[in-house]
Amino acid sequence: MAALGSSELGVLLSTLQESVDAESTLNILNVLDELLSAGTDRRIHYMISKGGSEALLGALVKVARVPTPNYTVLLPLLHLLAKVGHRDRRIGQKAKEVGAVLLTLDLLQQNLKCARRATACLWVLRVFCSSVSTAALIGKNRGLDIVFKLISPHTTKHIHMVKAAVDTLGAILHSKSNSNSAVSKGYVSCLLKLYEDWQLKDRGNAHVPIRRALLHCLHSAAKTAAGRDALVAEGGMALLFQTTQACLGTKCLESLIDSAVQLMRKCHPKRPLPLTSDQSFYSFPLPGKPVSSVPTDPEPRDDSFEDDSDDDSKTDEADHGEYDDDLETDLEKLRSRPEPDRPLEQLGQYVRLCPELHHDFPDLDSGSEVEGSSDEELDEEGINHCKQQRISRHQQERGSSLSTSPLEKQATPAEVKTSPIREGGGPAENHLKARDMHSRCLGRPRAKQDSHSMVDRLLERHGACIPNHDPCKYTAAAAQTKSIAGYSILAFPDFWGHLPPSHQEPMASRKPNVQRQKVLEDIQHFLCPEDVIDQVVFDLEDPSPPGLFQHPDSLRFYSKFECGNLRKVIRVRNCEYDLILNPDVNCSEHLQWFYFEVSGMQANVLYRFNVINCEKGNSQFNYGMQPVLYSVCEALLGRPHWLRVGSEICYYRNHFCPSDHQKGPSYYTLSFDVTFRHSDDVCYLAYHYPYTFSTLQTHLQMLEQSVDPSKVFFRQQSLCSTLGGNPCPLVTVTACPPSHSWSHLYQLRNRPYVVLTARVHPGESNASWVMKGTLEFLCSSDPVAEGLREAYIFKILPMLNPDGVINGMSRCSLNGEDLNRQWMKPDSGLSPTIFHTKGFLYYLSSIGRTPLVFCDYHGHSRKKNVFLYGCSVKETLWQSGSTVNTATLKEDPGYRTIPKTLDRIAPAFSFNSCNYLVEKSREATARVVVWRELGVLRSYTLESTYNGCDQGIYKVCQNTQ
């Protein structure tokens, strides 16, 4: 109030309350209205802070509490009170305290036939209803009935009064008691009829605000289950769907469409997932626990965000404020160093994991501690033996009727048309080669035993082009891998190998309103169930694969291979399929990762896939991410690539609920369209580029064979066995000493340790690819890599959760718990890999070799780029708003050294996405425990995106096609 100081305003407001003269009161109101009309919201807030609301309410009570109110004063007063009250959050409570609420309601009832006066009263009642208790008070005093009388079918008279009445009704319905009362009185049906009437007769779209306000009333009524049920029972879904269809394509009606779609989503009846149980199809008996005992995950979900609109700006992407309520504020707890969780005597078992400290160099050169098969055991006879065992298991599993593999048929067209293999033979021979190649991969019988040499030539011709991959070694490694389901099938991409595409792939562009279109299709399925095929074409619970012969015109699916995850597939339309994922073993939740085989497609036909039981509240699939696809036909044509594919990609909350009808997580749909290039191809679709445990085993074997043992000290050992009986690899990489002299050996054995871990969460396959690059770089001849080897000893655990990876899980291990929440007190029986990793770190600390750096590799599904999470006492206390004076705390700032270095040298690294906060909910994670209990200053979680970069030279642009 530039022209009016605080003292003058106070006098003016005081005079308003004390004035008994109508003319004086009117003059004061005019002055205030003029000041507010010429100003901004800041002036209104200033007036509120000086008691403006109380003064206006007092004047209202004084003017209205007379037998014959003076409307010359009352109308300007009501207008001004509505304007100021709209900005006062406590206006409803203030009005109750002075008795202005029911007084205004009485004024409205007295002036139902006077549109101008009624409108003014309605505006004031609307702002009073900003308080739910005030709205409930109005409802108890017949406010609903009084206001509803003023809402008429379509008319050209008293438009302002009708709009005010609808807005006020919507505000009154914010109270659940009022909403229930409105439902019981049949107001939902009346509101639907009113909306239909205004929709049909407002041909010039002159009264869109009234139509929008009617939808708002229905939204308020639908906050309760009774309101939602009433809307569906009264045919509201069909009415809203039809009226929305009529609005599509009219830009000025976008607000109506959005509101109606959200209302239909809210009222869409919940439908249980078509499963016999929400528990995982697979279970694993835990030591000391009954088989039926399913552990509950103690980790609170951090994915509560629900994006119900097409506005991409609404995301829970990070600012650090989202952590404020979870930050550790106890200084003693932040600075304390807990005692080890085990006695020193138990640490002797880890001496074997440091051969570089206890072996003379010639001994290290001559022997290897790699567990597993030697090269001699990987000969063709051994491979054939393993394969024949797989064939036998496969035949028992799928029945003798499957003697002819569909994959054998499906590779034929591509091989016959343009096969690159020309080794003395025509199309028929090439057909045999392709079919035999498929049979070998999948563990199915070959058509002819004499085709063995042809397969070898195919493997030699194509397999040689995949760095650090050998299909024969992969087959042998897979034969030793133990899964719950007893997998006897190899997925072709993992067996054959793959190369990165030759060009940078753009992010997918998102068409406007794609989410709206998907939701409207879901609603159409609900309204017209007769149009839904509802045909089960794949089900893990059915021992026979129904999709293979019972539905010959359907796509065929399969997922019983390493890392595979697909539980059930339902055909909803000719080329549309609902896909249901399997939760983690011994769990009923953690649904994100998928990896499956699909075949029987026609080229250039659009197929839609809807993964309907995702759990995360938002996903990078809404921001350019795509699933990945591998085509067998393309691979045999010399293009073995995983490619990002899919159009019309959308991730949104759906109407499904747990199959037991109990309250549970909201489910989300990932929907995408795919057009296949080849008919009768065999393709694989996955959430992200798969990286199996057998791939890791193969990679480590080949990496060890590729290094120069005179320069690179490379040792692979087993840390321990997992619950499922698989080894947890531990790799040591450092530089060999230049000679056997004492000084060189001393330098080797006193290098600082760097410990790297990855894949504790099995669905984060990108962590394995980052680790793969780390291993290959450290073993390379790059001068920087040589310098690192000479300066440090790297201890690398590339897969902390082999069982989860093998069995196609998203987050947990076979114990049904998140292993990255077990670091405080890991159980040696239930979490052996974490127990022994922590024990090994304790051992290094006990001999004075505490790691200089610890880094746990992860993947992030909702952010782009690569970034680090670290630990800092000062930053945590400062961010949490703690009363501790952080300026007096001393803390080594070295935890920022690595992030700052990476920010300078790594274009994909985002320094701005890093944080160093210690959250209570993450106190049992590797990063925090290693920092707090072992005193590792540089203890990090490395997060890498699933979806590329939006900065630097690796910035991936969206596809504009």
Side-chain angles (χ1 to χ4, degrees), residues 708-846:
D708 183 348
S710 66
K711 294 182 179 180
V712 182
F713 182 90
F714 184 102
R715 290 294 183 271
Q716 179 191 350
Q717 299 168 276
S718 176
L719 173 73
C720 63
S721 290
T722 66
L723 275 174
N726 294 290
C728 179
L730 184 146
V731 178
T732 304
V733 179
T734 191
C736 294
S739 73
H740 302 156
S741 68
W742 178 87
S743 62
H744 286 155
L745 289 177
Y746 179 84
Q747 191 276 337
L748 163 67
R749 292 168 182 168
N750 283 276
R751 294 169 186 165
Y753 278 89
V754 173
V755 178
L756 307 176
T757 62
R759 207 70 183 277
V760 70
H761 293 150
E764 296 170 5
S765 61
N766 43 354
S768 281
W769 290 108
V770 176
M771 180 59 78
K772 179 178 185 288
T774 300
L775 282 164
E776 291 178 355
F777 176 75
L778 289 176
C779 294
S780 71
S781 59
D782 188 285
V784 176
E786 291 178 354
L788 289 170
R789 292 195 300 267
E790 292 169 359
Y792 305 102
I793 298 172
F794 291 89
K795 292 291 183 178
I796 300 172
L797 291 122
M799 195 171 284
L800 281 174
N801 191 353
D803 292 338
V805 172
I806 292 164
N807 293 287
M809 298 159 69
S810 288
R811 195 166 184 86
C812 298
S813 184
L814 298 184
N815 62 2
E817 295 179 338
D818 181 347
L819 291 184
N820 202 35
R821 297 297 188 275
Q822 308 301 312
W823 279 80
M824 285 183 70
K825 294 182 179 179
D827 187 290
S828 60
L830 297 177
S831 308
T833 62
I834 305 303
F835 179 85
H836 289 292
T837 301
K838 188 177 182 182
F840 176 58
L841 292 169
Y842 271 142
Y843 168 72
L844 291 178
S845 181
S846 71

Side-chain angles (χ1 to χ4, degrees), residues 831-875:
S831 308
T833 62
I834 305 303
F835 179 85
H836 289 292
T837 301
K838 188 177 182 182
F840 176 58
L841 292 169
Y842 271 142
Y843 168 72
L844 291 178
S845 181
S846 71
I847 61 173
R849 307 300 300 279
T850 301
L852 179 67
V853 176
F854 173 86
C855 190
D856 188 23
Y857 290 18
H858 284 255
H860 207 288
S861 65
R862 291 180 295 161
K863 293 184 184 179
K864 294 180 172 64
N865 309 311
V866 181
F867 48 95
L868 287 171
Y869 293 141
C871 301
S872 165
V873 173
K874 293 185 69 172
E875 294 197 33

Side-chain angles (χ1 to χ4, degrees), residues 919-938:
E919 302 100 320
K920 297 173 185 177
S921 63
R922 287 164 175 78
E923 65 177 359
T925 61
R927 164 179 62 98
V928 177
V929 170
V930 172
W931 169 74
R932 177 178 288 158
E933 296 190 20
L934 287 101
V936 178
L937 175 69
R938 298 173 180 85

Side-chain angles (χ1 to χ4, degrees), residues 418-429:
T418 55
S419 172
I421 309 300
R422 293 289 181 268
E423 297 184 359
E429 184 176 349

Side-chain angles (χ1 to χ4, degrees), residues 543-825:
S544 62
L548 203 56
F549 291 115
Q550 295 180 17
H551 313 299
D553 58 336
S554 168
L555 291 177
R556 296 186 285 274
F557 297 84
Y558 193 70
S559 65
K560 293 185 70 174
F561 47 76
E562 190 173 348
C563 277
N565 188 331
L566 183 64
R567 180 171 184 170
K568 191 171 185 177
V569 181
I570 300 170
R571 188 184 184 193
V572 293
R573 291 192 298 183
N574 282 336
C575 295
E576 182 176 357
Y577 298 83
D578 282 353
L579 280 56
I580 302 176
L581 305 181
N582 195 35
D584 287 359
V585 173
N586 285 348
C587 282
S588 62
E589 54 188 1
H590 304 302
L591 298 142
Q592 175 184 0
W593 174 259
F594 59 84
Y595 180 22
F596 59 89
E597 173 192 298
V598 59
S599 58
M601 67 284 291
Q602 295 297 314
N604 302 318
V605 172
L606 191 71
Y607 293 92
R608 174 163 296 175
F609 300 96
N610 307 310
V611 183
I612 63 173
N613 64 332
C614 300
E615 277 188 340
K616 285 188 175 292
N618 200 3
S619 171
Q620 278 290 316
F621 281 117
N622 277 335
Y623 310 102
M625 183 174 166
Q626 296 171 278
V628 295
L629 179 142
Y630 185 102
S631 162
V632 171
C633 279
E634 287 291 302
L636 293 179
L637 291 170
R639 295 183 288 273
H641 304 307
W642 279 103
L643 298 174
R644 292 189 178 272
V645 298
S647 58
E648 302 288 334
I649 299 174
C650 186
Y651 188 93
Y652 62 98
R653 183 167 52 84
N654 60 36
H655 56 276
F656 288 100
C657 63
S659 61
D660 57 9
H661 297 271
Q662 295 180 359
K663 288 185 177 181
S666 296
Y667 287 125
Y668 294 78
T669 293
L670 164 62
S671 180
F672 58 95
D673 297 347
V674 175
T675 302
F676 299 98
R677 294 184 61 183
H678 305 280
S679 293
D680 294 324
D681 194 0
V682 177
C683 294
Y684 293 80
L685 282 162
Y687 180 88
H688 192 69
Y689 308 103
Y691 191 98
T692 68
F693 177 68
S694 299
T695 297
L696 172 65
Q697 297 287 70
T698 305
H699 181 236
L700 293 179
Q701 288 183 45
M702 300 196 69
L703 200 57
E704 184 171 21
Q705 295 170 6
S706 69
V707 301
D708 183 348
S710 66
K711 294 182 179 180
V712 182
F713 182 90
F714 184 102
R715 290 294 183 271
Q716 179 191 350
Q717 299 168 276
S718 176
L719 173 73
C720 63
S721 290
T722 66
L723 275 174
N726 294 290
C728 179
L730 184 146
V731 178
T732 304
V733 179
T734 191
C736 294
S739 73
H740 302 156
S741 68
W742 178 87
S743 62
H744 286 155
L745 289 177
Y746 179 84
Q747 191 276 337
L748 163 67
R749 292 168 182 168
N750 283 276
R751 294 169 186 165
Y753 278 89
V754 173
V755 178
L756 307 176
T757 62
R759 207 70 183 277
V760 70
H761 293 150
E764 296 170 5
S765 61
N766 43 354
S768 281
W769 290 108
V770 176
M771 180 59 78
K772 179 178 185 288
T774 300
L775 282 164
E776 291 178 355
F777 176 75
L778 289 176
C779 294
S780 71
S781 59
D782 188 285
V784 176
E786 291 178 354
L788 289 170
R789 292 195 300 267
E790 292 169 359
Y792 305 102
I793 298 172
F794 291 89
K795 292 291 183 178
I796 300 172
L797 291 122
M799 195 171 284
L800 281 174
N801 191 353
D803 292 338
V805 172
I806 292 164
N807 293 287
M809 298 159 69
S810 288
R811 195 166 184 86
C812 298
S813 184
L814 298 184
N815 62 2
E817 295 179 338
D818 181 347
L819 291 184
N820 202 35
R821 297 297 188 275
Q822 308 301 312
W823 279 80
M824 285 183 70
K825 294 182 179 179

Side-chain angles (χ1 to χ4, degrees), residues 76-140:
L77 178 58
L78 290 170
H79 284 227
L80 190 58
L81 183 58
K83 183 182 295 186
V84 174
H86 188 63
R87 296 291 186 270
D88 188 345
R89 295 180 180 180
R90 297 193 64 251
I91 188 67
Q93 289 295 327
K94 294 175 181 178
K96 279 179 63 179
E97 292 170 2
V98 299
V101 177
L102 298 183
L103 188 62
T104 307
L105 186 61
D106 288 338
L107 286 175
L108 173 63
Q109 194 167 13
Q110 296 168 18
N111 292 279
L112 293 178
K113 295 183 179 180
C114 180
R116 186 183 176 197
R117 296 176 183 178
T119 301
C121 294
L122 288 167
W123 285 340
V124 172
L125 288 172
R126 181 190 175 191
V127 298
F128 287 171
C129 288
S130 60
S131 166
V132 175
S133 62
T134 304
L137 176 65
I138 294 173
K140 289 178 182 178

